[in-house]
Amino acid sequence: MINIRKLEAELWESADLLRAGSKLTSNQYCMPVLGLIFLRYAYSRFKKVEAEILKDRPSRGGRVMPVEASDFSAKSALFLPKEAQYEYLVNLPENIAAAGLVNKDGHPMNSLGEVVNNAMQLIEDQSEQLTGVLPKSYTDFSDELLAELLRIFNNSALDDVGGDIIGRIYEYFLNKFAKNIASDDGVFFTPKSLVKMIVNIIEPKQGVLLDCACGSGGMFVQSGDFVNAAGMNANSTMTFYGQEKVEYNAQLCLMNMAVHGLTGVIKSGDEANTFYHDAHNLNGCCDYIMANPPFNVDKVKAESCENAGRLPFGLPSVNKNKEVGNANYLWISYFYSYLNEHGRAGFVMASSATDSQGKDKDIREKLIKTGHVDVMISVGNNFFYTKSLPCSLWFFDKAKGEAIRDKVLFIDARNYYTVVDRTLNEWSEWQLKNLNAIVWLYRGETEKYTALLQEYHDYLHAEAEAAENDDLKEAVYQDSFANIVSQLKEKLSALRKTAKAEVDAAGKRDKKSVQQQYDDRIAYIENILTVAKEAYWLYEKFGEGFYADVLGLCKLASIEEIEEKGWSLTPGAYVGVAPVEDDGVDFAERMAEIHRELLSLQAESNDLMDTISQNMKEMGI
């Protein structure tokens, strides 16, 4: 799994190099650095697709036919000429002028900056949507500085091509170097797990997809992955449109889409200000809407909004300055208005919007009465990388089945997540599947739920077989997920006791290696147990595949019930509070672990104090 925090720290180091070695402002050097990340990321994708192409490549005279740009185009991937490949750039000789290199126009190149600029131009020649987008200002940097940057970004972590890594890193840069941009109008990058949840519930297959606050393009990337995983070609079945007010974001979006082999029409600048412009003339035409718009924007000109249309339920509250004081319901109205007669929408919104009063409440009532509000999900704190605020995911569906047309599924997922670190939570892949499964059952798609249960069994069996451990096989080949969890816990407890005894008995030189061997085995079983617990979490609630309201988690509410709640769309108002469950942690065992950690930290502190004292003596203090 990619260590994104470590990667971000290394990228920060690269930015420090840029700052120290140039006179550029943060905005000026942000894009060139992102251009290098793009090159590295594009090369990772290129090598992966190249390997797929070469699997079945014909040969002539004993030689495999070389790959061509058309091969990559057929797989919706970006072709990289040799001179634009990261491996080529990072291994160039130190003296560029003496290497006899020429650019695409045949002119000699005398600096590394010229070579990187040429690489960017070569890539733009491969993709019409990238024309004029990639940075080409690398001659502003010395060869030494640029070579060091290339080395820093030659990081294997960027080979993890799944997910919007560029967007995540971009947000990190904005937060570090240009906080006034990162926090402007409530703009912040959408975490991968939220994007995946939206895509999984919307289920894009074919048609027009609009993200009118598209940022770095994460919605497009995940949608493309979803469509391709279903055996279709995203560029053939989907048409992607985006609006993004901030030019930098729009450039990143185009770069991000290109590296994932996607094509789309992205508009930016004033004409892409969604409050005042339907830049693509798509009102009432979209099959899918996905977005994470800026929350709680104020000072939006009411008259300009009204003239721009797309307000089927009327304007939100307008103040004495003829401004909309909170634009959340402008966004909500736009998303609904853009949908065609069978369209689906999924978007992130501030939690406060589910229960806001005044004109917002009037709009919400009209919206609910359409019968097109589909699913509402509450998300807990710390899902955003730079903000701790909670949020809600809203879903519309204008083609809901008759059985659920006048109902809304409420899911309160505020207490269901995986802790990444002290300030960041996310949904794991299995948690995403579990939440998605609740929606499947609500929609009557029991075959998908059944397939997920089988996927759990297959995974657990495969992991046990791979370990070649009979005890582990016995544990996972139980007749129920409850028994599997119980057996795995017993195996773990026994293994920990054995580990302690073995480490205590080992010689001083061998203690570390013995501990590591047992740590690896314990971690392996813990990972399997984590998946087994998720399987049990799901099966315990929904059995063989029948939707049921679960206290504290989900509730299927009628429009009449929602009216009784004052037209609130807050999941917590419907699902109630779940009973407190035993977290399964052995108190005595955990206290022993904490005690060992404390002793270890105390020993480190004593060693540090001894070192400081010795240094001070040597300095004569």
Side-chain angles (χ1 to χ4, degrees), residues 151-438:
R151 183 195 65 77
I152 287 169
F153 291 126
N154 193 30
N155 189 314
S156 60
L158 285 170
D159 290 324
D160 182 351
V161 296
D164 187 16
I165 293 176
I166 291 181
R168 165 71 192 265
I169 291 168
Y170 178 57
E171 188 217 9
Y172 181 83
F173 268 78
L174 287 183
N175 189 54
K176 283 287 188 182
F177 300 135
K179 285 196 173 185
N180 59 316
I181 296 175
S183 59
D184 180 42
D185 289 340
V187 174
F188 38 90
F189 171 72
T190 316
K192 180 180 173 182
S193 65
L194 294 190
V195 178
K196 290 196 78 169
M197 178 58 72
I198 289 173
V199 172
N200 289 350
I201 292 179
I202 293 296
E203 297 179 332
K205 294 181 177 67
Q206 59 182 17
V208 172
L209 189 160
L210 170 67
D211 182 347
C212 47
C214 66
S216 59
M219 299 288 181
F220 301 134
V221 170
Q222 291 296 335
S223 295
D225 287 349
F226 185 92
V227 174
N228 291 336
M232 299 176 285
N233 183 296
N235 281 331
S236 300
T237 62
M238 301 289 298
T239 307
F240 299 106
Y241 290 96
Q243 287 183 218
E244 174 53 53
K245 188 172 70 170
V246 181
E247 294 279 357
Y248 268 157
N249 289 9
Q251 286 178 281
L252 258 190
C253 180
L254 288 166
M255 290 162 63
N256 205 2
M257 292 181 76
V259 85
H260 287 88
L262 300 175
T263 57
V265 182
I266 311 299
K267 292 194 175 181
S268 61
D270 289 339
E271 68 167 334
N273 185 332
T274 304
F275 291 133
Y276 310 132
H277 301 287
D278 175 9
H280 301 286
N281 296 313
L282 288 174
N283 190 40
C285 300
C286 297
D287 297 284
Y288 309 101
I289 296 291
M290 300 181 191
N292 174 25
F295 300 166
N296 304 320
V297 177
D298 59 4
K299 298 180 181 178
V300 181
K301 298 172 185 174
E303 186 177 349
S304 298
C305 287
E306 205 157 22
N307 292 338
R310 298 164 295 150
L311 296 171
F313 311 114
L315 265 175
S317 298
V318 177
N319 61 27
K320 62 183 180 181
N321 296 322
K322 296 183 178 180
E323 297 170 336
V324 175
N326 188 313
N328 290 343
Y329 272 80
L330 285 176
W331 287 113
I332 292 168
S333 297
Y334 295 157
F335 298 149
Y336 182 86
S337 186
Y338 275 122
L339 294 176
N340 60 26
E341 67 279 1
H342 56 260
R344 285 180 172 179
F347 53 93
V348 189
M349 184 50 62
S351 289
S352 58
T354 60
D355 216 11
S356 53
Q357 299 299 301
K359 286 284 187 70
D360 286 1
K361 183 181 177 182
D362 296 339
I363 292 173
R364 192 167 59 249
E365 177 183 344
K366 294 174 186 175
L367 172 63
I368 293 166
K369 284 180 176 178
T370 66
H372 297 149
V373 179
D374 191 25
V375 181
M376 297 291 302
I377 302 177
S378 283
V379 183
N381 288 315
N382 294 335
F383 265 70
F384 293 98
Y385 301 118
T386 56
K387 306 282 182 180
S388 63
L389 77 170
C391 67
S392 298
L393 301 184
W394 294 51
F395 297 91
F396 302 154
D397 186 353
K398 287 193 173 182
K400 288 166 70 175
E402 197 60 37
I404 57 174
R405 181 165 181 80
D406 293 326
K407 294 181 172 64
V408 176
L409 175 64
F410 291 96
I411 300 175
D412 189 345
R414 288 176 297 174
N415 297 314
Y416 186 58
Y417 52 80
T418 296
V419 176
V420 178
D421 59 34
R422 184 176 54 84
T423 62
L424 182 63
N425 299 325
E426 68 178 12
W427 287 315
S428 70
E429 287 298 316
W430 295 104
Q431 289 172 330
L432 284 165
K433 292 173 192 282
N434 281 357
L435 291 171
N436 204 180
I438 302 174

Side-chain angles (χ1 to χ4, degrees), residues 28-70:
Q28 287 174 312
Y29 65 68
C30 179
M31 208 58 193
V33 169
L34 287 166
L36 295 181
I37 298 169
F38 167 81
L39 277 178
R40 182 63 180 84
Y41 197 35
Y43 181 65
S44 295
R45 297 261 328 167
F46 172 84
K47 295 301 291 182
K48 182 181 179 183
V49 175
E50 182 185 48
E52 292 174 3
I53 294 170
L54 290 174
K55 277 181 187 176
D56 305 310
R57 198 70 175 165
S59 59
R60 289 182 184 172
R63 295 184 63 184
V64 176
M65 297 288 291
V67 296
E68 299 175 352
S70 58

